[in-house]
Amino acid sequence: MLSNFFVQLMNGIALGSTYALIALGYTMVYGIILLINFAHGEIFMSGAFVGLILVTVFHVHIIIAFLGAMLFCMIMGVIIEKIAYKPLRRSTRLAALISAIGVSIFLSNLANLIFGANPTSYPPTKEILFPVKSFELFAGAQVTNLQILIIATSAILMIILQYFIKNTRIGKAMRATSQDYDTAALMGINVNKIISYTFAIGSSLAAAGGVLVGIYFGVVKYNMGTLVGLKAFTAAVLGGIGSIPGAMFGGIALGIGEMFAVAIGLSSYRDAIAFGILIIVLLVKPTGLFGTEIQKKV
Amino acid sequence: MLNIENIDVNYGAIRALVQVSLEVNEGEIVALIGANGAGKSTTLRSISGLVKPQSGKIIFEGKEIHNFPPHKVVEIGISQVPEGRRVFPLMTVLENLELGAFSRKDRAGIKEDINNIFLRFPRLEERKQQPAGTLSGGEQQMLAIGRALMSRPKLLLMDEPSMGLAPMLVQEIFNIVKEINQTGTTILLVEQNARMALSIANRAYVLETGSLAMSGSAKELAENEEVQKAYLGH
């Protein structure tokens, strides 16, 4: 019983840490320009495919592929912002939101065109990384080396992000811009540049999540971004949209919740549980667990 | 130093500024007074590049700046203390000051300037690790002023620095404004507290519903009957 609990907990944390990586992009972009970037799930999908191509076509090491996918999506995120959102900066928020949905549909269809509608397999983990082994930590409590790798990679990325946001010049400018856009500009901060940085960082984290999901579950598909994207969005809302620690916590909580739902036999409802959480949070505490009510002066 | 020539600013169908012209000379304190909604803040926001005038020119030290983005305006030596202080509430006092120096690269100079601001406002030093949102109104105003000074501006735009402060603090803030001016910074001051503004300014402009109604030396305006009636409560 306890060992099963632990196994599900580890499954949940591994899954949840990928949600957290993706949720960070939603929350950071929302924090700065108040846009739900619905194309973010497709950036995650693109990262998964770019990693796959780098490994299978270009035969690079998985670590290089991982970094390559992050770099590719970093650039892609910045370009998407410049083309699809920046021209609408002064329009209504709904216009940018619709544009985001448009980009999302475009990207998943483009992936469908290039990779086809069938799932594509990632090479077996033992070929690109190491043979997956289970370790027994205590009395039947098992964890795999792959899970540890996924959790550790996510954790390292999140620690780097936290350090960056807290201590660097650009990180401070990002926080300032998210707290007060106009006043940040009055400080001499080039807010357009900060927005680009935000998309770059958020998109590269989504790509990291994409490659990790590819390795963990073994398959990638053109429409994988839709559902995972919505779940990561749920995670961001659960933690409090705009809050970085909130996105980390929300992602992991959602992953654990989902795995326990599966464990108690509700596996056909696992997606419903995620969206049930979304609805409950929006009804009961729309600012999420870590969110603060930001009063905007008009 | 600063010349505004016939600017028009519209917010959609609303005409916020109509053919406004004004001039600020080096070393001056110039006050811009007027009622709520007269266009005082819009004038400052246009200079800072936060709103773009539909027509007219803004010239600073011979350069046309009305198409500059806000961060460029800071780089050429104009900074602003925005209305309502607008400190970054979740960031510490120290971080707020550091952000004020965002356009600068000279670390040693920035450190020195932070120390100078702490000398001028000792209460800010006591609270330097505290989030700015936890400061009192007067302290936040001092932080907003200190933050604006961190870019070493030649011209400081101040938008209602006395707003919402207790009378004793209002006096203190105006003394600070005078001191800043005496150390060589030119000031364009927007105020609803016309009496105080006219008492420290060299010259002043009166804005009424988006257009200039009057201008002159602060002394002249303070003695003008219409100004007394409308803004000084006589």
Side-chain angles (χ1 to χ4, degrees), chain B residues 2 4 9 33 44 81 97 100 151 169 171 176 178-179 201 231:
Chain B
L2 178 80
I4 298 184
V9 174
I33 57 180
L44 294 195
V81 182
L97 291 175
S151 66
L169 277 171
Q171 185 61 56
I176 291 163
K178 257 197 298 198
E179 272 172 44
Y231 304 106

Side-chain angles (χ1 to χ4, degrees), chain A residues 10-11 14-15 18 144 146-147 150 211-218:
Chain A
M10 280 299 137
N11 286 340
L15 177 67
T18 63
T144 69
L146 182 57
Q147 284 174 332
I150 284 169
V211 177
L212 292 178
V213 164
I215 298 171
Y216 192 38
F217 294 104

Side-chain angles (χ1 to χ4, degrees), chain A residues 90 166 169-173 175-177 179-191 194 292 297, chain B residues 45 48 50 70-71 74-75 80 82-83 86 88-91 95-96 98-105 147:
Chain A
R90 302 265 161 205
K166 264 232 123 30
R169 199 175 120 84
I170 302 292
K172 284 178 190 174
R175 279 190 287 148
T177 308
Q179 284 170 42
D180 191 332
Y181 188 93
D182 276 353
T183 307
L186 289 179
M187 299 298 105
I189 294 168
N190 182 346
V191 284
I194 295 303
T292 45
K297 211 183 150 208
Chain B
R45 289 171 69 81
S48 280
L50 288 173
H71 66 272
V74 178
E75 278 168 25
Q80 187 181 145
E83 184 182 358
R86 305 285 282 265
F88 299 106
L90 306 176
M91 303 180 81
E95 283 174 333
N96 268 275
E98 285 168 358
L99 282 165
F102 195 81
S103 56
R104 291 168 58 185
K105 302 271 185 286
R147 186 180 65 176

Side-chain angles (χ1 to χ4, degrees), chain A residues 206-242:
Chain A
V211 177
L212 292 178
V213 164
I215 298 171
Y216 192 38
F217 294 104
V219 285
V220 288
K221 203 179 163 191
Y222 78 98
N223 64 356
M224 69 192 282
T226 314
L227 189 60
V228 175
L230 277 173
K231 284 187 186 170
F233 170 65
T234 303
V237 172
L238 173 63
I241 189 103

